[in-house]
Amino acid sequence: MVKKLVTTQFTLLTLARVILGVVFFAHGWQKVVTNGLSGTAGAFEKMGVPAPTLSAWFAGLAELLGGALLIVGFAVPIVAIVLIIDMVGAIFTVHIDNGFFASNPGGGGIELPLVLIAGLLAVAAVPQTSLGIDALLLKNKLEGTK
C-alpha cells in the first residue's frame, strides 16, 4: 500500500514537473522565437524593465532552456533556482504594480508568477523519479558504487 502511494506521488510530481516545463518552454518560445529577442526587449522597455535587452535574453533563454530541462528532468534543482530568479524579477519589474490577480483589467498581477514559484519549489524539493534524466544519472551512480 505504501509503495503504491509513493509511486503515485512520484508520478504526480513528474506530471507537475512536465507541466511546469511546458509552461516555461512556451513562454520562452514566445520571447525567443515568436516575438524575437529584440521584440521582447522592446516590450520590456515599454514596461519599464531595467536593462531590457539583457533581461529579454535572460528571461527568454532561462524559460526556453529551463522549460526543456524540466520536461526531460535534468538538473531540476538548479533549473528551478534560475526560473525562480526569473519569476522574482518578473514580479518586481512587471507584475507587482498590477495587484494580485492574473486577470486584473490593467494587466496580470503577481498571482501567476507566485504559482509558478510554488510549483518550482515543490518539484525541486523532492528526488526526481525514474521518468527523468536526473533519476537515471543518480541510479547509474548508485549502481556504480556497489
Side-chain angles (χ1 to χ4, degrees), residues 3-63:
K3 185 176 180 178
K4 188 172 185 173
L5 176 63
V6 169
T7 301
T8 301
Q9 289 173 329
F10 278 148
T11 301
L12 293 173
L13 283 166
T14 299
L15 184 59
R17 187 194 76 226
V18 171
I19 290 169
L20 282 166
V22 168
V23 169
F24 277 107
F25 185 85
H27 279 264
W29 184 271
Q30 181 184 41
K31 288 175 179 70
V32 174
V33 178
T34 304
N35 299 338
L37 288 169
S38 62
T40 300
F44 280 8
E45 186 172 22
K46 288 179 184 173
M47 289 184 262
V49 174
T53 300
L54 179 63
S55 296
W57 275 89
F58 175 76
L61 294 179
E63 293 170 14

Side-chain angles (χ1 to χ4, degrees), residues 62-73:
E63 293 170 14
L64 185 69
L65 298 176
L69 292 173
L70 285 176
I71 291 168
V72 299

Side-chain angles (χ1 to χ4, degrees), residues 78-90:
I78 295 165
V79 170
I81 290 168
V82 171
L83 291 171
I84 288 169
I85 291 167
D86 179 43
M87 290 297 95
V88 169

